[in-house]
Amino acid sequence: VIRTVLGDIPSDELGVTDAHEHLLIRGGLPVERDRDFLLDSVDRAVEEVGRFLAAGGRALVDAMPGGLGRDPDGLVEVARRTGAHIVAVTGFHKLLYYDTEHWVYRYQEDAIADLLVAEIEEGMDRHGYRGPLVDRSPAQAGAIKLATDYYRMGPVEEKLFRAAAQAQRRTGAPILTHTEHGTLAREQATYLIDCGVPPDRIVIGHLDKNPDLDLHLEVLQTGVYVQYDQPGRAKYGPDSRVVELLASVVEAGFGDRVLLGLDLARRSYWRAFGGGPGMDYLLTRFVPRLRRAGFSEDAIRALVVGNPARVLALRRTP
Ligand SMILES: [Zn+2]
C-alpha cells in the first residue's frame, strides 16, 4: 500500500505522480530567510493541484518534513477538496534550516527513529515536534525525507541518516533525499545501503541540478532510484538537458529507476500566486516534449506511474 494523508491506498491506484512537490509551507527558517518560500494558502494549493489533475495528474508527494512549515491538516484539506492522492513526509531537511538549539543536534539515534516511526504509524505531529507537547493529526507520513548540504555530511547528518534507516526498516517506508546541487548523491546511497536500507527503497533527489550523466549512472548502479525535479525552472538550466539525461538513462536500462517532479517550493513558481511554471507544467509541457523526443508511452508511463507506485509502497524487508 501507499500511505497518503487520507489513508492507505493500493499502489496500483496511485496514478500519474509528481514525486517532489510543495503544497504548503507555513513557516520555519526557510520562510524566515526568504518570504518566497511561504506557501500558506489552502485555496491556492487547491487551485494549483486542480490544474495538475486537469492535465491528467493524480498524486503528489509533499516533500516538506515537520517543523519547517509542514501542515498535515492543511494537506488533508487539499486532498479532500481536490481528490488528489497526497503523500506527506517525516524526517529532515538540511541542517541550515534548524536553529542551534534544535533537538536534531541533541537527541540520540534511537529516540529520533522512534519519532519518525510514530509519524508514519500513528500520525504526524501538528507542531512538527517543535514541542513540548505532541498533538498528532490523524494524517500519517508515507515517506522519510533526508538531506545533505553542499558537500557536507557530518556526524549530525550521519546520525539522522542512521535514525531514518532504522525507521525505514521498522516501517517499510521509502526514503527520499535532498542533495545540494547533486553533491554527495553516491555517498547518500551507499551510506543508507550500508545501514541496511534496500537500494530499491531509496530515492536520491535533485540529481538534474548536476547534469552529469556519468555520475547519474554511477548512482543508479547502486540500485537506488534517482529523481529529476527541475523541469520548468529555467533559471537552473533548460528542459532540453533533462530530456537528454532521461534519454540516456533510459537507453542505459534504468528507465525503471527514475522519478519526475517539479519541486515548486516558491510562490514565484505558482501560477496561483501570479508566477510560473505552475504545477501542471510536468504534464502540459514536459511529458509532451518527451513524446516528441521519441519516448515510448511505456517509458513515459514508467516514469510517472509505475516507478512512483513501486517505490512509494510501504514494504518491510524480512
Ligand atoms: Zn523540495
Side-chain angles (χ1 to χ4, degrees):
V1 296
I2 290 168
R3 186 146 296 166
T4 79
V5 295
L6 294 184
D8 291 355
I9 60 166
S11 50
D12 59 5
E13 281 178 21
L14 188 69
V16 174
T17 303
D18 178 336
H20 190 121
E21 209 40 89
H22 292 278
L23 306 183
L24 289 166
I25 305 175
R26 290 201 179 272
L29 275 192
V31 170
E32 307 284 330
R33 288 188 188 143
D34 185 345
R35 300 294 287 182
D36 199 25
F37 284 119
L38 182 68
L39 301 175
D40 60 348
S41 167
V42 166
D43 287 343
R44 286 181 187 183
V46 165
E47 187 184 329
E48 284 290 327
V49 171
R51 285 207 192 91
F52 172 69
L53 299 186
R58 190 79 183 92
L60 309 100
V61 176
D62 182 88
M64 193 55 96
L68 300 175
R70 185 190 64 187
D71 174 7
D73 300 317
L75 293 175
V76 164
E77 198 183 335
V78 175
R80 287 228 169 89
R81 283 172 58 183
T82 60
H85 298 308
I86 297 174
V87 175
V89 301
T90 185
F92 307 96
H93 213 305
K94 55 189 179 184
L95 289 182
L96 185 72
Y97 291 156
Y98 300 89
D99 69 76
T100 52
E101 292 286 304
H102 197 279
W103 54 261
V104 291
Y105 304 104
R106 297 151 191 268
Y107 289 8
Q108 299 297 306
E109 175 188 328
D110 289 355
I112 295 172
D114 288 346
L115 291 172
L116 302 182
V117 169
E119 288 217 292
I120 295 164
E121 295 189 338
E122 295 166 41
M124 291 178 277
D125 179 28
R126 293 190 161 101
H127 312 296
Y129 289 139
R130 290 162 73 243
L133 301 178
V134 171
D135 174 20
R136 295 193 189 282
S137 159
Q140 298 157 303
I144 304 165
K145 171 95 175 246
L146 285 175
T148 53
D149 211 334
Y150 191 64
Y151 283 116
R152 166 77 201 172
M153 185 164 176
V156 178
E157 285 94 343
E158 289 184 357
K159 175 184 72 178
L160 299 178
F161 270 57
R162 288 195 305 275
Q166 193 190 128
Q168 192 289 320
R169 292 195 306 272
R170 286 162 60 185
T171 61
I175 292 178
L176 321 175
T177 78
H178 165 99
T179 59
E180 191 77 4
H181 299 295
T183 60
L184 301 182
R186 200 170 41 85
E187 288 79 359
Q188 288 186 348
T190 52
Y191 193 85
L192 289 169
I193 293 166
D194 288 348
C195 289
V197 180
D200 67 356
R201 305 278 73 216
I202 301 168
V203 181
I204 305 294
H206 311 324
L207 264 207
D208 46 345
K209 285 256 178 67
N210 181 7
D212 178 340
L213 178 65
D214 278 5
L215 170 76
H216 297 196
L217 293 176
E218 215 183 324
V219 173
L220 284 161
Q221 269 146 17
T222 66
V224 301
Y225 289 76
V226 304
Q227 179 183 280
Y228 293 161
D229 44 42
Q230 59 163 289
R233 290 187 292 151
K235 65 183 177 186
Y236 295 121
D239 288 357
S240 56
R241 215 164 51 176
V242 185
V243 175
E244 283 161 24
L245 282 169
L246 271 174
S248 303
V249 299
V250 169
E251 167 84 24
F254 293 109
D256 61 348
R257 279 293 182 274
V258 187
L259 304 183
L260 299 179
L262 294 181
D263 195 10
L264 304 184
R266 291 174 175 272
R267 295 165 91 85
S268 54
Y269 295 152
W270 284 26
R271 288 170 62 196
F273 283 118
M279 228 167 264
D280 55 347
Y281 185 94
L282 185 68
L283 300 176
T284 58
R285 303 280 300 172
F286 191 72
V287 163
R289 183 161 181 171
L290 293 179
R291 264 185 208 114
R292 290 200 302 280
F295 285 69
S296 70
E297 287 308 312
D298 282 354
I300 291 170
R301 222 180 140 68
L303 296 171
V304 294
V305 179
N307 300 347
R310 214 179 316 110
V311 74
L312 290 173
L314 270 63
R315 187 155 40 78
R316 270 205 202 81
T317 26

